[in-house]
Amino acid sequence: MSAITVRVPAKVNLQLAVGPLREDGYHDLVNVFHAVSLFDEVTAAEPFDVNPSAAPLGIRVEGDLAGEVPVSDDNLAVRAARALADRTGRSYRADLLIRKSIPVAGGMAGGSADAAAALVACNELWGLGLPREDLMEIAADIGSDVPFALLGGTAVGTGRGERLAPLETAGVFHWVFALADGGLSTPRVYGECDRLREEAGVAAPTPAVSEALLAALREGDVRALGQALSNDLQPAALALRPSLANTLAAGREHGALGALVSGSGPTCAFLAESAERAHELAALIKDVDGCRSVVTASGPVPGATVAG
Ligand code: C5P
């Protein structure tokens, strides 16, 4: 094969319970991930230019959001491909092309998704045949959200979010995502969460999974799911980006069953009763101040998968 394309989903956090800051700079979490049908595509191709002095890993990004993605060696997809090659102890080459639809620095793990897709694509392109467990280990070293982008579906993450247990769910859930102008830095939002807690004199709780959330997912009860959504990073994201409060209020006013900031934001997620209600809701919130655009999506969907 001279090129492999992998499709990979965005995520929304159904619960993000943030515990104390650890010595390694991360927070202990209970992180209920849910993969939704908003996809990036990553193609890994054999390079045309076989000049041995050229960089072994090339990167290009296409799509309306392309200008916001770093195309340096720091790009998570490049780092993932390099980590995979390093694992084999041999030098491999690839040109990576990302077709970007997931918001950049939006709290939907777009960069992590691209890293997961690059692992799957290069594993295939280079004929390595590494099993998923090995890819999961490399993924966890690249970032806390990368293993989930490989797994997909709905899963609870513990530790810093990288230790995953898949969850049983029933039915399909329909979502609207309100994308904001500009991203929010994840470390900054975690830092603000710590600062707000300190200011309020509140100790960080030990994170625990919500039983009400698990029951709603098991039963496919969309109303109960809407009630059970929670995100401990939301106050911090709102403090850093006050306009998000308007966006969330507009969604609730227009009948969303649940409304929350996705991960570290600034994307806001709204749960709708049906696909039709999701489209209606999207039309009603798209002109709210601070909302750049809206997309509808459904979940759960599978993780990074080689495209047909
Ligand atoms: O793991 P990842 O590189 O995606 O994390 C980005 C940043 O988010 C970390 O450097 C850290 O500041 C913050 N983070 C955290 N606790 C976690 C996950 C991420 O504080 N469990």
mmCIF file of all heavy atoms in Angstrom, residues 21 25-29 112 142-145 159-161 186-187 190, ligand 1:
data_model
loop_
_atom_site.group_PDB
_atom_site.id
_atom_site.type_symbol
_atom_site.label_atom_id
_atom_site.label_comp_id
_atom_site.label_asym_id
_atom_site.label_seq_id
_atom_site.Cartn_x
_atom_site.Cartn_y
_atom_site.Cartn_z
ATOM 1 N N LEU A 21 -4.264 18.253 41.936
ATOM 2 C CA LEU A 21 -3.078 18.332 41.081
ATOM 3 C C LEU A 21 -2.038 17.338 41.597
ATOM 4 O O LEU A 21 -1.736 17.309 42.788
ATOM 5 C CB LEU A 21 -2.522 19.774 41.137
ATOM 6 C CG LEU A 21 -1.249 20.068 40.346
ATOM 7 C CD1 LEU A 21 -1.466 19.860 38.844
ATOM 8 C CD2 LEU A 21 -0.788 21.509 40.617
ATOM 9 N N GLY A 25 2.231 17.090 37.508
ATOM 10 C CA GLY A 25 1.609 18.214 36.778
ATOM 11 C C GLY A 25 0.254 17.878 36.187
ATOM 12 O O GLY A 25 -0.402 18.744 35.617
ATOM 13 N N TYR A 26 -0.161 16.623 36.302
ATOM 14 C CA TYR A 26 -1.486 16.220 35.820
ATOM 15 C C TYR A 26 -2.463 16.156 36.993
ATOM 16 O O TYR A 26 -2.052 16.171 38.152
ATOM 17 C CB TYR A 26 -1.421 14.844 35.146
ATOM 18 C CG TYR A 26 -0.731 14.883 33.811
ATOM 19 C CD1 TYR A 26 0.646 14.694 33.705
ATOM 20 C CD2 TYR A 26 -1.444 15.119 32.645
ATOM 21 C CE1 TYR A 26 1.287 14.749 32.477
ATOM 22 C CE2 TYR A 26 -0.827 15.170 31.410
ATOM 23 C CZ TYR A 26 0.534 14.984 31.334
ATOM 24 O OH TYR A 26 1.151 15.036 30.113
ATOM 25 N N HIS A 27 -3.759 16.045 36.663
ATOM 26 C CA HIS A 27 -4.797 15.881 37.680
ATOM 27 C C HIS A 27 -5.380 14.484 37.570
ATOM 28 O O HIS A 27 -5.564 13.985 36.449
ATOM 29 C CB HIS A 27 -5.924 16.902 37.466
ATOM 30 C CG HIS A 27 -5.481 18.327 37.658
ATOM 31 N ND1 HIS A 27 -4.710 18.985 36.730
ATOM 32 C CD2 HIS A 27 -5.698 19.193 38.674
ATOM 33 C CE1 HIS A 27 -4.468 20.214 37.174
ATOM 34 N NE2 HIS A 27 -5.052 20.363 38.339
ATOM 35 N N ASP A 28 -5.694 13.890 38.706
ATOM 36 C CA ASP A 28 -6.436 12.630 38.657
ATOM 37 C C ASP A 28 -7.852 12.943 38.198
ATOM 38 O O ASP A 28 -8.456 13.907 38.669
ATOM 39 C CB ASP A 28 -6.477 11.984 40.050
ATOM 40 C CG ASP A 28 -5.304 11.048 40.236
ATOM 41 O OD1 ASP A 28 -4.947 10.349 39.258
ATOM 42 O OD2 ASP A 28 -4.741 11.033 41.340
ATOM 43 N N LEU A 29 -8.351 12.105 37.301
ATOM 44 C CA LEU A 29 -9.657 12.380 36.695
ATOM 45 C C LEU A 29 -10.575 11.183 36.776
ATOM 46 O O LEU A 29 -10.107 10.043 36.851
ATOM 47 C CB LEU A 29 -9.512 12.661 35.186
ATOM 48 C CG LEU A 29 -8.588 13.757 34.696
ATOM 49 C CD1 LEU A 29 -8.633 13.786 33.175
ATOM 50 C CD2 LEU A 29 -9.019 15.100 35.256
ATOM 51 N N SER A 112 -5.481 15.192 19.574
ATOM 52 C CA SER A 112 -5.324 13.811 20.050
ATOM 53 C C SER A 112 -5.875 12.831 19.015
ATOM 54 O O SER A 112 -5.312 11.757 18.788
ATOM 55 C CB SER A 112 -6.069 13.616 21.371
ATOM 56 O OG SER A 112 -5.579 14.501 22.340
ATOM 57 N N ILE A 142 1.736 9.985 24.254
ATOM 58 C CA ILE A 142 1.587 11.205 23.435
ATOM 59 C C ILE A 142 0.650 12.198 24.132
ATOM 60 O O ILE A 142 0.866 13.405 24.104
ATOM 61 C CB ILE A 142 1.035 10.852 22.020
ATOM 62 C CG1 ILE A 142 1.946 9.852 21.313
ATOM 63 C CG2 ILE A 142 0.827 12.104 21.168
ATOM 64 C CD1 ILE A 142 3.313 10.370 20.992
ATOM 65 N N GLY A 143 -0.423 11.717 24.754
ATOM 66 C CA GLY A 143 -1.351 12.627 25.439
ATOM 67 C C GLY A 143 -2.465 11.854 26.114
ATOM 68 O O GLY A 143 -2.791 10.735 25.697
ATOM 69 N N SER A 144 -3.055 12.467 27.136
ATOM 70 C CA SER A 144 -4.045 11.778 27.966
ATOM 71 C C SER A 144 -5.292 11.350 27.184
ATOM 72 O O SER A 144 -5.955 10.376 27.551
ATOM 73 C CB SER A 144 -4.493 12.694 29.102
ATOM 74 O OG SER A 144 -3.378 13.233 29.759
ATOM 75 N N ASP A 145 -5.646 12.100 26.116
ATOM 76 C CA ASP A 145 -6.887 11.807 25.381
ATOM 77 C C ASP A 145 -6.653 10.921 24.156
ATOM 78 O O ASP A 145 -7.609 10.553 23.466
ATOM 79 C CB ASP A 145 -7.540 13.115 24.900
ATOM 80 C CG ASP A 145 -8.095 13.947 26.051
ATOM 81 O OD1 ASP A 145 -8.146 13.441 27.189
ATOM 82 O OD2 ASP A 145 -8.476 15.106 25.795
ATOM 83 N N GLY A 159 -7.050 7.699 36.146
ATOM 84 C CA GLY A 159 -5.666 8.155 36.107
ATOM 85 C C GLY A 159 -5.701 9.578 35.571
ATOM 86 O O GLY A 159 -6.522 10.394 35.974
ATOM 87 N N ARG A 160 -4.831 9.873 34.582
ATOM 88 C CA ARG A 160 -4.940 11.201 33.971
ATOM 89 C C ARG A 160 -5.904 11.174 32.790
ATOM 90 O O ARG A 160 -5.971 12.099 31.993
ATOM 91 C CB ARG A 160 -3.560 11.759 33.605
ATOM 92 C CG ARG A 160 -2.804 10.951 32.610
ATOM 93 C CD ARG A 160 -1.393 11.501 32.380
ATOM 94 N NE ARG A 160 -0.565 10.540 31.702
ATOM 95 C CZ ARG A 160 -0.496 10.401 30.372
ATOM 96 N NH1 ARG A 160 -1.184 11.181 29.589
ATOM 97 N NH2 ARG A 160 0.283 9.478 29.853
ATOM 98 N N GLY A 161 -6.660 10.081 32.672
ATOM 99 C CA GLY A 161 -7.680 9.942 31.623
ATOM 100 C C GLY A 161 -7.311 8.863 30.626
ATOM 101 O O GLY A 161 -8.083 8.535 29.731
ATOM 102 N N THR A 186 -5.473 24.069 27.147
ATOM 103 C CA THR A 186 -5.868 23.080 28.165
ATOM 104 C C THR A 186 -5.130 23.288 29.497
ATOM 105 O O THR A 186 -5.786 23.349 30.549
ATOM 106 C CB THR A 186 -5.662 21.652 27.617
ATOM 107 O OG1 THR A 186 -6.397 21.535 26.405
ATOM 108 C CG2 THR A 186 -6.117 20.594 28.589
ATOM 109 N N PRO A 187 -3.781 23.420 29.495
ATOM 110 C CA PRO A 187 -3.104 23.640 30.786
ATOM 111 C C PRO A 187 -3.619 24.884 31.497
ATOM 112 O O PRO A 187 -3.736 24.909 32.722
ATOM 113 C CB PRO A 187 -1.630 23.817 30.391
ATOM 114 C CG PRO A 187 -1.492 23.223 29.041
ATOM 115 C CD PRO A 187 -2.829 23.307 28.377
ATOM 116 N N TYR A 190 -6.970 24.041 33.236
ATOM 117 C CA TYR A 190 -6.726 23.253 34.461
ATOM 118 C C TYR A 190 -6.156 24.155 35.559
ATOM 119 O O TYR A 190 -6.532 24.049 36.733
ATOM 120 C CB TYR A 190 -5.765 22.086 34.191
ATOM 121 C CG TYR A 190 -6.443 20.840 33.679
ATOM 122 C CD1 TYR A 190 -6.438 20.524 32.323
ATOM 123 C CD2 TYR A 190 -7.087 19.966 34.550
ATOM 124 C CE1 TYR A 190 -7.055 19.376 31.849
ATOM 125 C CE2 TYR A 190 -7.706 18.819 34.091
ATOM 126 C CZ TYR A 190 -7.690 18.529 32.739
ATOM 127 O OH TYR A 190 -8.305 17.400 32.293
HETATM 128 O O1 C5P B 1 -2.030 14.837 28.302
HETATM 129 P P1 C5P B 1 -2.072 16.114 27.545
HETATM 130 O O2 C5P B 1 -0.737 16.493 26.968
HETATM 131 O O3 C5P B 1 -3.145 16.173 26.508
HETATM 132 O O4 C5P B 1 -2.444 17.228 28.596
HETATM 133 C C1 C5P B 1 -2.314 18.599 28.300
HETATM 134 C C2 C5P B 1 -2.247 19.382 29.597
HETATM 135 O O5 C5P B 1 -3.524 19.322 30.271
HETATM 136 C C3 C5P B 1 -1.257 18.864 30.621
HETATM 137 O O6 C5P B 1 0.010 19.398 30.394
HETATM 138 C C4 C5P B 1 -1.867 19.346 31.923
HETATM 139 O O7 C5P B 1 -1.583 20.727 32.123
HETATM 140 C C5 C5P B 1 -3.354 19.247 31.660
HETATM 141 N N1 C5P B 1 -3.914 17.979 32.163
HETATM 142 C C6 C5P B 1 -4.050 17.807 33.522
HETATM 143 N N2 C5P B 1 -4.559 16.626 34.013
HETATM 144 C C7 C5P B 1 -4.946 15.642 33.161
HETATM 145 C C8 C5P B 1 -4.830 15.806 31.770
HETATM 146 C C9 C5P B 1 -4.308 17.003 31.292
HETATM 147 O O8 C5P B 1 -3.725 18.692 34.317
HETATM 148 N N3 C5P B 1 -5.438 14.529 33.649
#
